[in-house]
Amino acid sequence: MDVRQPSQHETFNFDSWSEIEEKLNELSLSLPYTEDISALAQSRQAGPLSFPNAIAIHPVEGCDGSADGRPEALTFRRYERFARGGSGLIWLEATAVVHRGRANPRQLWLHEQTVEDFARLRSMISDAAAEEFGPDHKPVVVAQLTHSGRYSKPAGVPAPVIAYRHPILDPRHDLPDDYPVISDDELDELQQAYVDAARFARDAGFDAVDVKACHGYLLYELLNAFTRENSRYGGSYENRTRMLREIVQRIREEVPEIAVVSRLSVYDAMPYPYGFGMSKDGSMEPDLEEPVRLINELREMGVCLINVAYGSPYYNPHVERPYDTHEIGGYVPDEHPLVNISTMVDIHRDLARRLPEMPLVATGFTWLREFSPNVAAALVASEEALSVGWGRMALAHPDFAREIFEDGALTPTKLCICCSSCTQIMRDGGRSGCVVRDWEVYEPIFKEGQARNPAVMRELATICRDCHAPTCQTGCPAGVDIPSFVTAIAEGNERAAYEVLRETNPLPELCAYVCPASEQCEGACVQRHISDGPVPIRMLQRYVCEVARTEGWTAMSTPEQLRDERIAVIGAGPAGVACAVRLLREGFRVTIIDAAERPGGTASETIPAERLASHTAAEETTAILESCETDRLQWRMGTRMGEDLTVDDLFDEGFDAVFVGVGLTESIGLPGADRPEEGVIDALTFLRQAKSDRSVEVPERVAVLGGGNTAMDSAVTASRAGARDVYLIYRRSFAEMPAWPDERDEALEEGVHFMLLTQPLGYVAENGRVCGVRVASTVLGEPDESGRRRPIVDEDSERVVAVDMVIEAMGQAPPSDLSDWLPGVELTDRGLIVTRGLSGRTSRERVYAGGDIVNGGDTVVQAVADGVVAAEQIAADLG
């Protein structure tokens, strides 16, 4: 059997089976085919497992679990769609048995703390299937147990666990010659993890567990560990198969209530001695003697079903690093897909002939699109396959089984097009799904992942014109040399790009997430006028900063000589941290004081996680400052300034200067309104609660008062938390609204109702709880001191908007006790700190300030710039 016929790769372009047959004849290949696909609708039996039909959902990983391995919203969504699609066998995706064996930080992981979540998932599958097809339709659900072996990335970076040294795969992972091989003792201990996971799967209600041994992962790598010497798990057939056999045997003995199956690679397409099921002459010919022997032994142990797998997606001898590097467009094989499919079918039929007593699941037909059911049905009708599984097809068209049964054919425009975007998402670190057919959910995720792809980012960077007088730089309050930063990315030098960023912006990652690029750097880019749009500066900045943090480039260098002066920085938000970073670089000793328990400031606490993950500011700050010794940097988190700790007290402690970078911490309520006891909340409190508790509940009708960014965040958050109707009440017109355009657009897309030219007047309450907002229409007069047209209330238009909750987002104010702990510092009528020019100096000697407490609320990057300027002024004043 020639399994590596040289043939040019082709995309699918067939309108009839006769056209496929013509190509098969051209390639000297054949595939079974039948017009009668009724065999797929017949019930099936494998040991104790009863299937309502012969169609299976194949295990395709979604990478959308929680950090501790629980299935999350997208996981539940995916499997509910599968259950409602009508397949008789739902083979759950790869689920780790230990944290170390996870292929990514969001891979499912079945352990004691996640059993209840898996039980909910299993129950949901049954309920959804019964609701859709009636109580007699009970799909078999299999939990696939795995250890990713050399492809383990539990923290998002490679952490390989290898069974032996591999001359091709080791270099692709940059493994040194002395990289450790997992020991026999560790493998002995790992068996218990599989047994425990099987017990948890039983408790969660699964019908069977799959002891996965395919596609190059740990148990499969042991099957081809011919070169693992002096080991109970390598060399001879008995030793190489020992791990799989003993795990199966122990599960059968210790967890007899659950069936055991296996997804097993029987042909590795990797030459001996590094491939299982391969001819020992070093060719690419299969030799199924060992796979057949192993499957027979597994059958005798009680394994009731084998899901046949082929090859490894990580191995190709013709390309240097096909899968473990980022590429645009992914890997394209050097053979016609029909060669691969025909090879798999030939091997499967050979196995079926040799193993008449072992039920087999056939796989690998998605590329055939609307003709795949005909090939599958031919195998089932001939009793060469008990069931046939589709993987990527199910992501694209989860109802494909129902369509086969009800219509007798598949609609081509609903099917997987084999673009590999679902796997590209995984390579880019995102949650996987069909970008083409399920685009509303997965297109944004795909694009977010591409923003981490070096090849894509370097290509985007090439559109920068590297202007001699760059207007993008003038649009950046921090004055970043944007052309140099972008050019460095285009040249493939991400580290140099990061150094350019942080030369003037100590917190570039935070700014990349929360600053209005469309109004600043990108808004000033000349490309937006002469091309399809500006250079994607924000995206490039996020990419470089994430790379820098992952690679450990963020740690700050400080001079060897430590200065005697000590500086107190009040506030661990952007202004305070930026000031501290610049002072530390100058050799000062710094103490950061903040009332919160972690750095980040109000922005980190309140900006929704969709735009700024709660850990971003804290992680960036930690990454930058972690190298500072305690004699250089001290933290006083959880320390509030007040009558017990004033600026005078800090000077008494021996500090030589003080920088004040606190934010606007208090919300402004509706003027003149009597607030009901319940149902009215300020925006900052609401956003903090929503961010710290993503399950926060809101009533059906919510009013948000205000028109700034905080109001938009509150409205969008309320809508996503379950409010049916969110009314954004704003007294001016759309043109006067202070929220950034991107923020407004997001609220509009979310379906928020904009009530413009509407003045909130007060509240209506019943039994102490708000039930409405009194409002009146306005008309716009002449501009007021803000420069915007003043709203004039039409008193005759007063009415009530019925709501169940009101979020006040009408602005923020400085701490009410600011003057008490900051004596001698001049404040404005609004309670803001007055500074002298751009220096950050206040009216009190050796007291400096910057950020929102000075400017009344501006961008994060402006706060960073203020902190840097103040630090430079402190250094100059102290000599």
Side-chain angles (χ1 to χ4, degrees), residues 848-867:
Y848 303 78
D852 288 356
I853 197 65
V854 171
N855 60 44
D858 205 319
T859 62
V860 167
V861 71
Q862 183 62 60
V864 169
D866 287 355

Side-chain angles (χ1 to χ4, degrees), residues 517-831:
S518 61
E519 302 296 301
Q520 294 179 333
C521 53
E522 292 182 12
C525 176
V526 298
Q527 285 290 102
R528 66 193 293 261
H529 305 295
I530 59 178
S531 186
D532 293 334
V535 175
I537 300 168
R538 180 207 295 269
M539 185 186 300
L540 295 171
Q541 185 167 328
R542 289 181 182 179
Y543 159 68
V544 164
C545 291
E546 184 172 326
V547 171
R549 185 158 43 81
T550 301
E551 296 294 330
W553 303 336
T554 55
M556 179 185 59
S557 60
T558 55
E560 293 185 10
Q561 185 64 38
L562 182 64
R563 294 183 58 152
D564 294 331
E565 297 93 341
R566 298 170 59 212
I567 316 298
V569 172
I570 304 172
V577 172
C579 182
V581 169
R582 186 52 60 95
L583 288 169
L584 288 163
R585 286 175 56 181
E586 295 292 332
F588 290 100
R589 291 179 290 174
V590 177
T591 297
I592 301 177
I593 304 167
D594 197 283
E597 296 299 330
R598 58 188 299 178
T602 302
S604 179
E605 295 175 341
T606 61
I607 293 177
E610 290 80 7
R611 289 200 294 118
L612 179 66
S614 57
H615 63 269
T616 299
E619 282 192 1
E620 183 178 26
T621 300
T622 300
I624 293 169
L625 297 175
E626 63 184 354
S627 61
C628 291
E629 299 89 348
T630 55
D631 60 339
R632 293 179 182 265
L633 173 64
Q634 294 184 349
W635 295 88
R636 291 192 195 174
M637 302 304 291
T639 302
R640 185 177 298 278
M641 300 298 295
E643 62 178 46
D644 295 330
L645 182 62
T646 69
V647 168
D648 288 340
D649 296 327
L650 295 177
F651 282 124
D652 289 342
E653 289 183 32
F655 287 101
D656 296 282
V658 175
F659 173 78
V660 182
V662 296
L664 305 180
T665 59
E666 299 186 8
S667 293
I668 298 174
L670 180 59
D674 293 328
R675 178 187 274 200
E677 294 179 6
E678 298 181 28
V680 179
I681 187 172
D682 70 86
L684 295 183
T685 299
F686 171 72
L687 291 170
R688 284 191 182 98
Q689 290 177 354
K691 191 163 186 177
S692 63
D693 181 8
R694 298 299 297 275
S695 62
V696 65
E697 296 182 359
V698 299
E700 288 193 349
R701 301 173 301 177
V702 177
V704 178
L705 311 184
N709 294 328
T710 302
M712 302 302 152
D713 284 342
S714 299
V716 170
T717 299
S719 177
R720 291 174 179 171
R724 184 186 64 189
D725 292 300
V726 179
Y727 304 96
L728 191 135
I729 302 175
Y730 180 59
R731 60 183 181 162
R732 291 186 169 96
S733 71
F734 205 81
E736 282 81 18
M737 187 172 284
W740 301 330
D742 289 349
E743 293 272 300
R744 296 199 305 257
D745 291 346
E746 183 179 20
L748 287 168
E749 291 172 4
E750 188 64 30
V752 173
H753 310 308
F754 278 59
M755 296 182 63
L756 304 177
L757 294 173
T758 303
Q759 174 73 54
L761 302 174
Y763 301 120
V764 179
E766 290 182 359
N767 300 319
R769 183 169 188 83
V770 72
C771 62
V773 182
R774 289 191 299 108
V775 301
S777 298
T778 64
V779 294
L780 296 181
E782 295 302 315
D784 59 16
E785 63 277 2
S786 72
R788 292 173 295 165
R789 295 177 65 187
R790 181 173 62 90
I792 301 171
V793 175
D794 178 3
E795 296 180 357
D796 294 333
S797 64
E798 184 174 327
R799 60 198 183 278
V800 174
V801 180
V803 295
D804 310 300
M805 179 182 183
V806 178
I807 302 170
E808 295 179 332
M810 307 182 74
Q812 285 81 49
S816 57
D817 63 347
L818 181 63
S819 61
D820 296 336
W821 55 263
L822 198 58
V825 173
E826 181 184 357
L827 305 179
T828 69
D829 293 341
R830 291 182 54 195

Side-chain angles (χ1 to χ4, degrees), residues 291-322:
V292 168
R293 177 181 174 184
L294 176 59
I295 293 172
N296 272 322
E297 291 172 354
L298 294 175
R299 180 181 58 81
E300 293 172 0
M301 293 178 187
V303 171
C304 62
L305 183 66
I306 294 293
N307 190 321
V308 184
Y310 318 85
S312 169
Y314 303 99
Y315 171 79
N316 188 292
H318 304 291
V319 292
E320 183 183 357
R321 300 165 74 96

Side-chain angles (χ1 to χ4, degrees), residues 58 151 202 205 236 315 324 326 575 578 730 760 802:
H58 228 218
Y151 305 104
R202 176 204 63 191
S236 68
Y315 171 79
D324 54 348
H326 296 280
Y730 180 59

